[in-house]
Amino acid sequence: MSAGTSYDDRQYDERLEAFIGRVLNERTPGQDPVNVPMIRHWVEAMEVANPVHLDADAARATGRDDVVAPASMIQAWTMRGYAATVRPQAAAGGFQELIALLDEGGYTSVVATDSEFDFVREVVPGDEISVEEVVDSISPEKATGLGVGRFVTTMKTYRDGAGEVVATQRWRTLRFKPAAKVEPRAERPKPAINLDNAFWFEAARERRLVVQRCTSCESLRHPPGPECPECQSFEWDTVECSGRGTLYSYVVAHHPRHPAFDYPLLIAVVELEEGTRLITNLTGVTPEDVTIGMPLAVQWIDDGPDLTLPVFGPAAPEPTEES
Amino acid sequence: MSGLSGATAIVGIGATEFSKESGRSELQLACEAVTAAIADAGLKPSDVDGLVTFTAESSSEIHVARNVGIGDFSFFSRVGYGGGAACGTIAHAAAAIHAGLADVVVCWRSFNERSGERYGLGQASRPMDTNADRAAYSWMTPYGLSTPAQWVGMFAQRYMHEYGATSEDFGRISVIDRARAATNPKAHFFGRPITLEEHQASRWIAEPLHLLDCCQETDGGQALVLVSAERAKDLPNTPAYVLGAAQGAADDQHMMTSYYRPSISGIPEMGLVGDQLWRQSGLRPTDMGAAILYDHFTPFVLTQLEELGYCGRGEAADYILDGHLELDGSLPLNTHGGQLGEAYLHGMNGIAEAVRLVRGTSVNQPRTVENVVVTAGTGVPTSGVIVGVA
Ligand SMILES: [Zn+2]
């Protein structure tokens, strides 16, 4: 139900609109009349200091006839109770129909957003409270922090035994499509960067594949190190590679699995045109089609904000000359 | 023959049971193995004045010494590179005794490798620091290359490509090891031989390696006692003389990932060890009555046969097919069942088996064995020993 433009979407909107003004829950009496023990539990639990709810003298001192129930307790008198909450009975009615229609639209999650009361008179012990719920409005689809959804506003009307209104409640919930939980992909094991290898990973972040070169005898070496084994020079720079090479060997990893990778995982040793080899992954090829000696070309993958790595995919056997 | 050859002997061996969950501390496993080895040698703990173990060992020499009752000790050293250290401990002990630094040296290794920290689960989540060893993982783990099986698989794939070897050629090593383990009551796989078909049907771990190309994981401890050849004569057991003991790290050596050498279808560090062993001992490969070759993963058993000179490059598959490694062949292999069959004790249980072969007490004793070659971890800086009757 995205933009509400298609025929199906318009139909759905009309079906929702048909609920406005409909009774969701018929007038339902509370399980018990208003009574002092429940008031006492409420007052204690909510830490209400006002004495008019339990102390008759205090109540009379305020001009009342006797103790009165806390106003915000109005919902409590009509709650369906513990047993019905943990073992709800299958029921049919406007409420169930609306929930089914919202489910159909993908609005399967709910969160209460606000509740506004109007109190007509104070409720006193002996009052038999009932409640009725009518749909007030259903909003168009809105984008919210929880996901796209519709605000469903209902009016609950609380009445006494004589049918007189004692309070009304405008009750708003957001019925929303839970945002698909995309688990972020685990990051690859991080390289341990030190003074001897940092240059290579820094170049990789710029998508440059480099090989360490001795500035004295010009021999290349990888993995890099501080000293040239050929001439013992500690002076070095790097050469930038063409990014082309051939497959020297590979392994198809199956077990154990690391959450950063898809398995079977192709891990390879690639021999670069420049002559050095490096460990990498193969991409764009399945294990059945891998052959030692196949021509490969570098591609780059970003893994998290700080790591870019070269991987290799199949290349045309004869690289075309650039004109 | 070098001065080291025959100068010392292994006179005691001792081990815990091999299990999947020892229920005891690694220090206790070490102490049990060391105590048992000293007793087997007919010596007292206070006779010991040297201790050698792996850098990977979690229990320091001082903890073992004060628990076992060794008292003062004057020589201690450790050998690095995981299972590559196994025979290196013997080399250090023999050299120390030969040089007069110690008289009685115990070498040991113990761990709860199955119930504790399992190497097979890979390096990906190990703590990070920036020393050179940890930085070396930077070229592997970001690509998901983090387990020993994967590291070996990369070598094996190239070996197959160059020589036409097949997964079945690797599998025959598993079949041999499991056949030997099947008749070794101390082996985890006692009574459970496998067929080549079962090897082929086992699931992939890191192609080209099947599950049954990979050794098990074990809790346990193993210790060995070395003394001088003269002292060995006064002790109860038939001495297993150390006729050669050598370590080796070859050009452009990496830990399990020496993929940057001109060729990666061999493991030259083992060739380097073998050359020293033959030179020190004056013996030839064919003088060996059995071989205990490190078998954490089957493909490297083939390369070891080539590096040690039992066959030419790429010929190991045929050498195995010819039956040399069977119990009645020219070079019975891993008579205890190897690490694939008996236990993964970082190679130390293999040295103990070589001692038993020299004593004539292996549960799978071949017809005649005078000399046994033993190797340590492959793909890493490694080591080897030759033990013999004289
Ligand atoms: Zn140079």
Side-chain angles (χ1 to χ4, degrees):
Chain A
M1 300 298 137
S2 51
T5 50
S6 74
Y7 174 74
D8 285 347
D9 289 350
R10 283 197 304 277
Q11 279 230 314
Y12 183 79
D13 286 347
E14 285 170 14
R15 288 163 68 199
L16 274 181
E17 279 164 26
F19 270 86
I20 294 168
R22 251 189 86 174
V23 174
L24 282 191
N25 289 302
E26 301 284 350
R27 188 172 159 192
T28 310
Q31 300 193 105
D32 298 293
V34 175
N35 61 83
V36 172
M38 279 178 68
I39 294 174
R40 185 186 316 285
H41 291 308
W42 172 278
V43 163
E44 286 183 1
M46 305 300 280
E47 297 181 343
V48 177
N50 193 334
V52 302
H53 305 308
L54 292 169
D55 182 337
D57 290 340
R60 287 187 198 103
T62 62
R64 294 173 170 89
D65 295 334
D66 203 337
V67 295
V68 298
S72 56
M73 200 181 164
I74 191 72
Q75 271 181 293
W77 302 116
T78 57
M79 281 179 175
R80 57 186 173 169
Y82 177 74
T85 302
V86 295
R87 281 186 300 279
Q89 293 181 344
F95 182 76
Q96 282 73 21
E97 283 176 39
L98 177 58
I99 298 306
L101 183 57
L102 289 165
D103 281 351
E104 181 187 323
Y107 309 105
T108 54
S109 293
V110 60
V111 60
T113 59
D114 51 273
S115 172
E116 292 167 28
F117 282 101
D118 272 317
F119 298 107
V120 179
R121 76 158 170 87
E122 288 182 325
V123 169
V124 299
D127 273 332
E128 294 187 346
I129 305 298
S130 62
V131 65
E132 176 190 62
E133 185 172 17
V134 176
V135 178
D136 187 66
S137 66
I138 299 175
S139 79
E141 192 174 84
K142 309 261 190 194
T144 77
L146 293 169
V148 296
R150 293 174 185 264
F151 290 96
V152 176
T153 308
T154 63
M155 183 65 77
K156 294 186 184 189
T157 304
Y158 299 89
R159 296 173 193 273
D160 60 20
E164 297 298 323
V165 175
V166 296
T168 58
Q169 178 187 13
R170 190 180 299 273
W171 173 245
R172 183 171 292 148
T173 56
L174 174 66
R175 300 276 170 175
F176 63 100
K177 299 176 181 177
K181 280 217 179 87
V182 181
E183 289 292 327
R185 178 109 215 191
E187 292 187 358
R188 292 173 176 234
K190 292 284 167 277
I193 307 290
N194 67 9
L195 288 173
D196 294 327
N197 66 18
F199 74 93
W200 192 91
F201 289 96
E202 283 161 13
R205 281 179 68 175
E206 299 165 358
R207 305 195 167 212
R208 293 186 300 113
L209 184 61
V210 298
V211 178
Q212 189 179 43
R213 173 175 61 185
C214 172
T215 50
S216 173
C217 75
E218 301 206 326
S219 63
L220 302 179
R221 57 186 196 262
H222 185 86
E227 182 176 4
C228 174
E230 305 297 329
C231 75
Q232 288 66 51
S233 169
F234 286 87
E235 302 300 319
W236 55 267
D237 60 7
T238 61
V239 292
E240 196 149 339
C241 300
S242 69
R244 288 188 295 272
T246 54
L247 183 62
Y248 188 74
S249 193
Y250 68 100
V251 62
V252 188
H254 291 261
H255 173 85
R257 296 181 167 214
H258 185 287
F261 303 101
D262 292 320
Y263 292 84
L265 172 66
L266 276 166
I267 313 167
V269 171
V270 170
E271 189 159 285
L272 298 176
E273 259 182 1
E274 290 75 15
T276 59
R277 297 182 199 139
L278 83 165
I279 296 165
T280 184
N281 292 122
L282 296 182
T283 185
V285 63
T286 55
E288 310 81 69
D289 295 327
V290 172
T291 51
I292 287 180
M294 69 190 291
L296 298 166
V298 72
Q299 300 175 24
W300 294 93
I301 55 164
D302 294 319
D303 192 79
D306 301 321
L307 184 63
T308 299
L309 292 171
V311 297
F312 284 75
E318 306 268 328
T320 51
E321 302 247 339
E322 292 188 33
S323 52
Chain B
M1 279 173 45
S2 78
L4 191 65
S5 182
T8 63
I10 303 173
V11 294
I13 56 176
T16 65
E17 83 290 1
F18 304 132
S19 75
K20 299 300 173 191
E21 185 163 10
S22 73
R24 315 197 285 291
S25 71
E26 293 182 334
L27 175 59
Q28 179 167 341
L29 296 176
C31 293
E32 289 180 19
V34 169
T35 301
I38 295 167
D40 181 60
L43 294 166
K44 301 187 301 295
S46 57
D47 293 328
V48 175
D49 59 358
L51 290 166
V52 184
T53 188
F54 293 47
T55 56
E57 175 70 22
S58 72
S59 305
S60 292
E61 303 86 337
I62 53 174
H63 299 299
V64 170
R66 67 181 288 272
N67 278 277
V68 172
I70 286 168
D72 299 345
F73 60 107
S74 55
F75 175 76
F76 34 95
S77 78
R78 288 186 173 225
V79 188
Y81 308 112
C87 302
T89 64
I90 305 297
H92 284 213
I97 293 168
H98 185 56
L101 297 176
D103 292 325
V104 178
V105 181
V106 179
C107 306
W108 91 92
R109 177 80 173 110
S110 69
F111 52 28
N112 286 323
E113 202 279 328
R114 180 61 184 79
S115 66
E117 186 179 337
R118 300 175 64 183
Y119 302 152
L121 295 183
Q123 296 290 328
S125 57
R126 294 285 160 88
M128 186 89 75
D129 59 44
T130 54
N131 68 38
D133 286 338
R134 184 62 188 80
Y137 287 117
S138 299
W139 309 110
M140 315 170 213
T141 56
Y143 303 98
L145 185 71
S146 71
T147 70
Q150 294 162 356
W151 299 329
V152 173
M154 194 75 77
F155 285 101
Q157 188 76 255
R158 185 72 197 184
Y159 182 90
M160 295 164 86
H161 172 75
E162 291 190 6
Y163 298 130
T166 66
S167 170
E168 294 192 345
D169 293 326
F170 301 149
R172 289 187 180 92
I173 297 298
S174 287
V175 173
I176 291 170
D177 273 359
R178 292 289 292 269
R180 299 296 89 80
T183 52
N184 172 9
K186 283 211 75 173
H188 175 70
F189 288 112
F190 175 57
R192 285 187 281 170
I194 58 164
T195 64
L196 193 57
E197 290 68 36
E198 286 171 311
H199 168 273
Q200 288 294 291
S202 67
R203 65 188 169 99
W204 291 119
I205 296 298
E207 288 179 63
L209 299 194
H210 288 275
L211 174 66
L212 291 177
D213 288 304
C214 308
C215 84
Q216 61 190 314
E217 297 176 296
T218 302
D219 286 9
Q222 176 76 58
L224 305 111
V225 181
L226 278 84
V227 298
S228 69
E230 299 80 62
R231 187 157 185 178
K233 293 188 180 75
D234 303 326
L235 295 173
N237 289 316
T238 302
Y241 292 100
V242 178
L243 305 178
Q247 296 179 264
D251 188 29
D252 202 9
Q253 179 79 56
H254 296 254
M255 277 298 283
M256 301 293 289
T257 52
S258 302
Y259 303 149
Y260 312 96
R261 293 165 170 165
S263 167
I264 69 165
S265 53
I267 42 173
E269 53 277 6
M270 191 59 81
L272 184 61
V273 167
D275 290 347
Q276 295 176 82
L277 294 179
W278 310 134
R279 195 172 61 243
Q280 286 178 14
S281 65
L283 298 168
R284 294 160 301 163
T286 50
D287 293 325
M288 300 297 112
I292 308 293
L293 302 185
Y294 202 90
D295 58 342
H296 55 354
F297 300 97
T298 56
F300 277 157
V301 177
L302 279 69
T303 32
Q304 287 183 84
L305 289 166
E306 296 165 12
E307 293 289 353
L308 294 175
Y310 285 96
C311 53
R313 298 279 172 197
E315 295 174 359
D318 288 336
Y319 181 85
I320 297 164
L321 274 173
D322 288 344
H324 290 285
L325 305 183
E326 302 296 338
L327 212 42
D328 59 358
S330 66
L331 189 74
L333 175 75
N334 296 349
T335 46
H336 57 323
Q339 303 194 91
L340 285 155
E342 186 188 62
Y344 173 64
L345 245 296
H346 253 170
M348 294 296 268
N349 53 321
I351 307 174
E353 174 66 6
V355 171
R356 286 189 291 268
L357 286 166
V358 169
R359 293 179 181 178
T361 61
S362 167
V363 292
N364 293 310
Q365 189 71 31
R367 231 178 13 256
T368 52
V369 176
E370 294 195 344
N371 306 299
V372 184
V373 62
V374 188
T375 59
T378 42
V380 295
T382 188
S383 53
V385 295
I386 294 171
V387 292
V389 293

